[in-house]
Amino acid sequence: MFGLFKTKHIKPLELEGTATIHAPAALIFGLVDFTSPANRLAARGFQFSERATQTGRFAATDPNLPDVRFEFDVDLYETPKTYGFFSRIVADPPFGGFERNREEYHIEALDDRNCRVTLKTTNWYREGMASRERRNEEALMTQAVAQDLMKLKLEAEALVKEYAA
């Protein structure tokens, strides 16, 4: 009756952030590529139980969250320029406000030692979330995107210094 009982279609949350990083594009790509020995999640202790080659399914656990499984489906792999994947967190009860996420790293070499990284995310909300909860999740995810880019910058620039020493 007049749409009062219709379920609203909630649009996914789309965010984008950009950072200039004083590191070569290939180094940045290696940090985000799940197949790379330099992968930043592996460096933080994540244990991969499934690994594909370049594109495909990857699954990992974080030693700090042993009951949570992270699944990644890589579908965009253009070294050293673009890396994209869908991800979801598998936990009981569900963890976080999003059912699944999409991340794309676009890496633009500025010269041999510097690049610009743009992180684009799309985040699909879990069903049944109140608008107040969605606003809170939006704020948290906005902060998470900015923090992820900052961590990537710090990790890459620390490696550049380490290699130079």
Side-chain angles (χ1 to χ4, degrees):
M1 183 167 126
F2 304 110
L4 292 175
F5 299 106
K6 272 188 176 177
T7 303
K8 289 183 184 178
H9 176 69
I10 306 298
K11 291 182 184 178
L13 173 63
E14 295 180 350
L15 299 168
E16 184 174 312
T18 302
T20 299
I21 302 177
H22 305 296
L27 187 138
I28 301 297
F29 193 87
L31 288 172
V32 298
D33 176 7
F34 298 128
T35 64
S36 170
N39 177 266
R40 62 201 292 234
L41 293 180
R44 289 187 209 145
F46 276 65
Q47 299 294 313
F48 284 85
S49 58
E50 294 178 43
R51 281 192 187 245
T53 56
Q54 295 180 349
T55 59
R57 164 78 40 101
F58 295 81
T61 55
D62 179 348
N64 298 316
L65 299 167
D67 296 333
V68 177
R69 178 178 160 97
F70 298 86
E71 293 180 348
F72 308 98
D73 288 305
V74 177
D75 63 344
L76 190 55
Y77 189 98
E78 186 183 342
T79 184
K81 297 178 181 180
T82 311
Y83 194 78
F85 56 91
F86 287 92
S87 65
R88 68 186 200 109
I89 300 170
V90 180
D92 188 27
F95 183 86
F98 297 101
E99 186 171 307
R100 65 186 172 115
N101 304 310
R102 167 88 182 149
E103 294 184 31
E104 288 184 14
Y105 290 87
H106 297 271
I107 306 163
E108 175 191 357
L110 301 174
D111 57 36
D112 291 345
R113 294 187 286 194
N114 299 285
C115 62
R116 180 174 297 119
V117 177
T118 300
L119 172 57
K120 296 179 181 183
T121 68
T122 305
N123 310 276
W124 288 267
Y125 292 100
R126 293 195 185 283
E127 292 242 351
M129 288 183 68
S131 60
R132 177 202 244 168
E133 290 174 298
R134 284 194 310 275
R135 284 192 304 273
N136 185 49
E137 290 297 329
E138 180 178 342
L140 291 171
M141 185 55 72
T142 300
Q143 184 179 19
V145 168
Q147 286 177 339
D148 188 50
L149 279 171
M150 184 56 62
K151 283 180 190 174
L152 181 61
K153 179 178 175 68
L154 292 171
E155 291 163 349
E157 291 177 359
L159 284 173
V160 167
K161 286 181 183 174
E162 182 181 314
Y163 295 153

